[in-house]
Amino acid sequence: MLAPLSWLKDFVDIDVTPEELEKKLFGCGFEVEEVIRYGDKIDKVVTCKILEITQHPNAERLRICRVDAGKYGILQIITNAKNVNVGDIVPVAVDGATLATGDRITSGELRGEKSYGMFCGGEEIGIDDNFYDGASGDGVLVFKDDFPLGEEDRDLLGLKDYVFDISVLANRPDCQSVFGIAREIACALGKPLKLPALDFNAGAEGDGEISVKVEDKELCPRYIAHLIKNVRIEKSPKWMSRRLALCGLNSINNIVDITNYVLLEMGQPMHAFDMKTLADKSIIVRRAKSGEKITTLDEKELTLSTENLVICDGEKPVALAGIMGGLNSEIENDTTGVLFECAKFKRDNIRKSSRTLGKSSDSSKRFEKGVDEYTTELSMKRALHLVCELGAGEVTSTHIDVSAGQAQLNKTVKTTFSAINGVLGIEVPKEKIIEILEKLEFKVEYNGDEITTVAPPYREDVESYPDLAEEIIRMYGYEHITPTLLKDAAITPGGYSAAQSDEMKLKRFLAAQGLSEAMTYSFYSKKDVAALNLPEGAKEGNNVVIENPISDNYEVMRETLVPSLLSAAARNLKRGNYDGRLFEIADTFAPCGDGFPIEEKKLCFVLFGDGEDFFTAKGVAECVAEFFGLKFDLSKRAEKSYLHSGVSAKILLGDSEIGFVGQAAYETAEKFDIDKKVYVGEINYSAIESAEKPTFKFSPLPKYQIVKRDLALVAPKDVTCGEIEGAIISAGKGVIRSAELFDVYEGAQVGAGKKSMAFGLEFYDDEKQLSPDDVDGIVKRVLGSLQHRYGVVIR
């Protein structure tokens, strides 16, 4: 947020330099991202009075002016400006001057005549109409005030100022204002805090017919309205428009400027309704009806839902609560009656409405962080005082305050000095603790080691003694903290744990297999879950629902990683990446009654593009098993609604099903906007971590030659590759070391309901060199076992 130094000085007697103040703010927890120096560059731009104007003898468009520059004497200035006349007081950059743009001005000669400076417009001295009327024009700025001559314009116009761009953390909404920052500065400097003027005269007769009704007090716990009549719409005084400009806001008119001024000064968003536009002279705060429309002040029409809160009159919405007013109730030049609004809205509702509608404003940003009821009440008084000060209208006695009756009481914390110092790890004297808390407007009572504090009404963030410790140390000084270990803590060597090391090694191993690691959100939408076509009761559909999701795309916590990686595959395909191998190792979450979700770590991978098929996906799963020294059984088909019924397999570890691999069902792929075959697998990584791993032992190089044979088999179509592999290895009785499928064929040559499968076998015996006869005998035994168990014959 932006806080001009001149504005801060209204509330605190700041007697340190801007550089020292920046350090003080940083020391008490507020990072100053930038100090914007206004008027710092301008030098030797002074007021001059035009005494005489004559035509340039050598240039038709130029004129020679004699000006009185006060202490700089009588100067000759050559100009082409047409808007200056004898007797005008204007800004002149004399010889050696520096403009707001950084440009230097020196004396020179124009068409044979000497010029000892340059007339300036608002742009040259860095101002516009918000600072001085006429400064936004293209010509020379002509002062309407009888300024003394030869004086620096930056001083006469009050241009020299410092604006602090301060980063305020989300837990300190009370500091989202100039006055809020001033409170902190007062404590840091040990200076008294001056309150803004809050007095006003509400002597004008009110209007008893105005009514305010809050239908949803959960979303609007406090609503204050006050009537102003005989309003005079005028320009705001320059001190107000200047401060608004320093904070990035343009002056509009006195009434609108008052609401913006209070927003910046007090941190309370306000709105002003034109009374002649309010049907039935009533305000109704309610949820919008589904499909209801409103056109906001920026002339954008929005379609609302029941999740949006609106301010209505007797007929229609006139404002989008906490975000922006409606175009149909804006202040016009002929406005004579105004209803001021100060309210507290539920911050998560404002945040959600702002994001879903794509509508953000200075007001919504503050409501999203939180506004307390104390500030709401104080800000209305401040606005009414400004109405009286500016003579913008007559404050009436019509004041309506609707409260939900649940105003939060000041937070009380009972603790001990020992507990506070225990958090800090140092001994802060009791007297200093009490002094700091009282300067921060906490009420303090103590008895021995016990201390009871009552937080000021604007400090809704204070919950317990660690919060008090934070308040104390940021004012006492972080430089007092000495490095110490926490209680029962010990210095341990750095590095990864064994589990983390294994996970990192697996990631590198998968990367070596051509897979790229993906990192996706732990949330997805209900639409993604529906795309899996899950049957009722499927565990993947039992999700932890997010109460206040940041958008509809992140409504539930994921129980499976499959939708996340299918979405990643879809994004790659849309962007022209037609081949890809992605994997992710991440936590999934399953509901556990009223307790915390059950977390399980899973490994998911997705393959797409030319050269990828079920067997390459199956190979990835087998690589994972090999990495851990485990044996996965992939001989049984997986029964997943989102997998192709004939191209899938369960991943079994012993008798436990720990995952699956297969082709994504065409219907599922289509719902993720994928028009190609895509293969996906998921393994319960937590189950692998807890599984008993074999001890790796050194095996000597083979003494004898390995014998290789290929077998082409004809099998019934429903017999899986895994079943045949298992039967071959089993019948080999330790001599067949591996059996790998390298070809599958279906067609008329093998018959209906049949398929041809070709396996490469490796034979090895630790005791002797296998002869051809030995191998033939083993093959004969294998073929007999296959025919007996599955009806498989040699082709």
Side-chain angles (χ1 to χ4, degrees):
M1 65 151 292
L2 301 176
L5 180 61
S6 58
W7 202 342
L8 291 168
K9 286 183 175 180
D10 281 1
F11 309 115
V12 186
D13 180 17
I14 299 174
D15 56 0
V16 297
T17 65
E19 292 75 19
E20 290 175 301
L21 183 58
E22 181 181 356
K23 291 179 182 178
K24 288 285 186 182
L25 285 167
F26 185 80
C28 59
F30 297 94
E31 180 184 357
V32 178
E33 297 184 347
E34 183 183 7
V35 178
I36 305 166
R37 301 170 184 270
Y38 281 91
D40 203 37
K41 295 179 181 178
I42 305 172
D43 184 42
K44 297 181 76 173
V45 179
V46 301
T47 48
C48 297
K49 185 174 185 177
I50 300 176
L51 304 175
E52 180 184 7
I53 301 176
T54 60
Q55 182 63 45
H56 194 293
N58 304 317
E60 183 180 343
R61 296 186 178 181
L62 298 179
R63 295 192 292 172
I64 299 174
C65 300
R66 289 179 65 251
V67 302
D68 183 355
K71 61 186 177 184
Y72 293 95
I74 305 299
L75 303 177
Q76 178 172 291
I77 307 294
I78 297 177
T79 182
N80 65 353
K82 303 298 183 184
N83 68 316
V84 292
N85 299 289
V86 173
D88 287 344
I89 297 177
V90 296
V92 175
V94 299
D95 184 39
T98 304
L99 304 181
T101 57
D103 295 328
R104 296 269 297 176
I105 301 299
T106 57
S107 298
E109 193 173 287
L110 290 174
R111 297 290 184 92
E113 295 290 335
K114 199 76 172 173
S115 181
Y116 295 92
M118 182 185 81
F119 288 160
C120 296
E123 183 178 357
E124 283 77 25
I125 56 178
I127 63 173
D128 56 20
D129 285 348
N130 288 313
F131 290 81
Y132 199 90
D133 287 339
S136 295
D138 293 331
V140 173
L141 173 60
V142 178
F143 293 125
K144 298 176 179 61
D145 298 275
D146 189 18
F147 286 139
L149 304 181
E151 298 297 322
E152 292 279 353
D153 290 345
R154 67 170 184 233
D155 299 329
L156 294 171
L157 298 176
L159 301 183
K160 195 162 185 179
D161 206 342
Y162 299 85
V163 178
F164 294 85
D165 187 354
I166 303 169
S167 175
V168 180
L169 298 178
N171 68 322
R172 292 300 305 276
D174 60 295
C175 292
Q176 288 282 338
S177 63
V178 174
F179 182 61
I181 292 295
R183 273 195 298 242
E184 300 298 313
I185 292 173
C187 184
L189 297 180
K191 302 277 188 177
L193 177 70
K194 307 168 192 173
L195 288 174
L198 304 174
D199 58 302
F200 59 90
N201 179 18
E205 185 179 349
D207 188 338
E209 296 181 6
I210 295 176
S211 67
V212 174
K213 180 181 180 183
V214 178
E215 293 185 357
D216 196 320
K217 292 186 177 180
E218 180 189 358
L219 299 186
C220 178
R222 186 80 179 271
Y223 193 96
I224 303 175
H226 203 110
L227 177 65
I228 315 297
K229 71 177 187 179
N230 295 330
V231 170
R232 293 175 290 279
I233 302 299
E234 300 171 340
K235 285 185 176 182
S236 296
K238 288 306 168 190
W239 64 264
M240 177 174 281
S241 60
R242 175 186 179 278
R243 286 183 170 179
L244 294 175
L246 289 174
C247 295
L249 296 179
N250 287 322
S251 175
I252 299 173
N253 58 54
N254 51 358
I255 293 297
V256 175
D257 288 354
I258 286 173
T259 63
N260 287 333
Y261 191 87
V262 170
L263 167 68
L264 297 172
E265 184 178 67
M266 308 301 294
Q268 170 69 53
M270 290 188 65
H271 191 65
F273 297 103
D274 188 338
M275 279 301 300
K276 70 175 180 292
T277 68
L278 295 182
D280 301 333
K281 293 185 179 181
S282 65
I283 288 289
I284 302 170
V285 185
R286 61 169 173 82
R287 288 178 181 266
K289 299 171 185 176
S290 182
E292 195 167 21
K293 297 181 184 296
I294 184 174
T295 301
T296 47
L297 287 170
D298 57 0
E299 301 183 2
K300 301 289 179 62
E301 185 180 73
L302 303 175
T303 301
L304 309 177
S305 72
T306 55
E307 294 299 314
N308 308 131
L309 190 68
V310 289
I311 313 298
C312 304
D313 60 14
E315 299 173 354
K316 59 191 180 297
V318 292
L320 187 56
I323 300 176
M324 192 174 290
L327 188 63
N328 53 13
S329 64
E330 71 173 331
I331 303 301
E332 303 281 1
N333 290 332
D334 61 349
T335 298
T336 58
V338 165
L339 190 68
F340 271 156
E341 166 197 281
C342 257
K344 176 178 180 176
F345 300 115
K346 192 176 181 183
R347 59 184 179 182
D348 53 350
N349 175 263
I350 301 300
R351 180 175 63 250
K352 187 172 181 180
S353 291
S354 177
R355 295 193 179 187
T356 54
L357 295 172
K359 183 69 62 182
S360 180
S361 64
D362 289 336
S363 294
S364 67
K365 290 172 184 176
R366 279 169 171 76
F367 276 123
E368 286 176 23
K369 293 180 176 67
V371 172
D372 58 87
E373 294 190 31
Y374 169 78
T375 301
T376 300
E377 189 172 340
L378 207 66
S379 298
M380 179 60 84
K381 294 178 182 178
R382 179 59 174 159
L384 297 177
H385 168 85
L386 290 171
V387 169
C388 295
E389 182 178 342
L390 271 57
E394 297 178 19
V395 179
T396 73
S397 58
T398 299
H399 179 87
I400 305 170
D401 188 346
V402 180
S403 172
Q406 299 173 346
Q408 193 168 12
L409 299 176
N410 297 10
K411 298 285 185 69
T412 300
V413 177
K414 294 183 178 181
T415 184
T416 62
F417 292 100
S418 302
I420 293 172
N421 284 326
V423 172
L424 300 177
I426 59 174
E427 193 70 26
V428 181
K430 289 183 181 180
E431 297 76 14
K432 195 65 181 178
I433 291 176
I434 295 167
E435 177 189 343
I436 290 171
L437 290 175
E438 288 181 343
K439 282 183 178 178
L440 289 170
E441 300 187 22
F442 285 76
K443 294 179 181 177
V444 181
E445 293 182 3
Y446 59 95
N447 182 13
D449 191 42
E450 295 181 350
I451 177 172
T452 301
T453 66
V454 180
Y458 52 83
R459 290 301 304 273
E460 295 183 349
D461 59 300
V462 177
E463 297 287 347
S464 59
Y465 70 90
D467 297 317
L468 297 180
E470 181 183 357
E471 295 301 299
I472 291 160
I473 195 58
R474 68 189 184 86
M475 292 300 174
Y476 187 58
Y478 291 101
E479 67 275 8
H480 290 94
I481 293 180
T482 55
T484 57
L485 290 174
L486 295 173
K487 184 181 179 182
D488 300 326
I491 297 175
T492 58
Y496 292 118
S497 65
Q500 290 171 326
S501 296
D502 285 346
E503 185 176 324
M504 291 299 295
K505 289 176 184 176
L506 176 60
K507 288 180 178 180
R508 288 193 289 269
F509 178 76
L510 290 172
Q513 310 306 313
L515 284 86
S516 299
E517 184 177 7
M519 292 185 181
T520 60
Y521 290 114
S522 298
F523 322 99
Y524 44 53
S525 68
K526 293 179 181 178
K527 180 181 175 182
D528 291 333
V529 179
L532 300 180
N533 302 313
L534 298 168
E536 185 153 349
K539 65 175 185 176
E540 295 95 329
N542 187 20
N543 302 111
V544 177
V545 179
I546 306 300
E547 185 175 344
N548 296 305
I550 57 176
S551 81
D552 292 341
N553 293 326
Y554 307 109
E555 298 172 287
V556 295
M557 300 187 78
R558 59 187 178 187
E559 201 284 332
T560 172
L561 306 182
V562 171
S564 299
L565 286 197
L566 286 178
S567 296
R571 283 193 296 273
N572 276 274
L573 289 167
K574 286 177 185 176
R575 287 163 174 76
N577 299 323
Y578 299 119
D579 299 278
R581 292 180 146 211
L582 303 174
F583 80 91
E584 181 174 15
I585 301 174
D587 287 335
T588 59
F589 308 86
C592 181
D594 296 331
F596 290 109
I598 299 170
E599 296 186 38
E600 278 189 328
K601 188 172 288 187
K602 292 181 181 176
L603 161 64
C604 187
F605 55 88
V606 62
L607 315 178
F608 54 92
D610 295 338
E612 302 293 359
D613 56 24
F614 170 75
F615 298 104
T616 59
K618 175 174 171 283
V620 173
E622 290 171 337
C623 283
V624 173
E626 181 183 349
F627 175 82
F628 287 105
L630 301 173
K631 181 66 178 177
F632 289 165
D633 179 0
L634 294 97
S635 62
K636 296 180 176 59
R637 285 194 175 89
E639 298 172 358
K640 296 289 183 182
S641 59
Y642 45 89
L643 296 180
H644 191 295
S645 58
V647 191
S648 64
K650 293 179 181 178
I651 299 177
L652 300 172
L653 180 60
D655 296 329
S656 301
E657 182 179 347
I658 64 166
F660 58 83
V661 63
Q663 179 185 334
Y666 292 115
E667 184 181 356
T668 297
E670 185 179 350
K671 288 183 178 179
F672 282 95
D673 206 13
I674 299 173
D675 58 0
K676 298 181 182 297
K677 290 183 178 180
V678 60
Y679 302 88
V680 63
E682 186 172 70
I683 303 171
N684 188 326
Y685 187 82
S686 297
I688 294 178
E689 283 186 308
S690 60
E692 185 177 350
K693 312 292 193 306
T695 302
F696 290 97
K697 296 181 180 179
F698 170 74
S699 297
L701 294 173
K703 294 180 183 179
Y704 308 105
Q705 185 177 358
I706 295 173
V707 179
K708 297 184 178 181
R709 286 280 182 91
D710 293 340
L711 281 182
L713 308 172
V714 176
K717 198 171 181 178
D718 60 349
V719 177
T720 67
C721 170
E723 289 172 330
I724 294 177
E725 282 184 6
I728 291 173
I729 297 296
S730 176
K733 294 184 177 179
V735 176
I736 298 179
R737 298 302 177 95
S738 69
E740 293 188 4
L741 179 75
F742 65 85
D743 184 53
V744 178
Y745 170 76
E746 295 182 28
Q749 294 180 0
V750 295
K754 303 284 186 179
K755 62 183 175 181
S756 172
M757 307 175 74
F759 291 86
L761 311 183
E762 288 188 352
F763 299 79
Y764 179 73
D765 192 328
D766 292 326
E767 303 297 330
K768 65 177 183 176
Q769 176 64 53
L770 293 172
S771 67
D773 291 340
D774 293 331
V775 173
D776 289 342
I778 297 169
V779 169
K780 186 177 180 180
R781 186 167 69 242
V782 166
L783 292 172
S785 176
L786 288 172
Q787 186 172 16
H788 174 71
R789 294 173 66 177
Y790 302 113
V792 176
V793 297
I794 192 166
R795 183 174 175 185

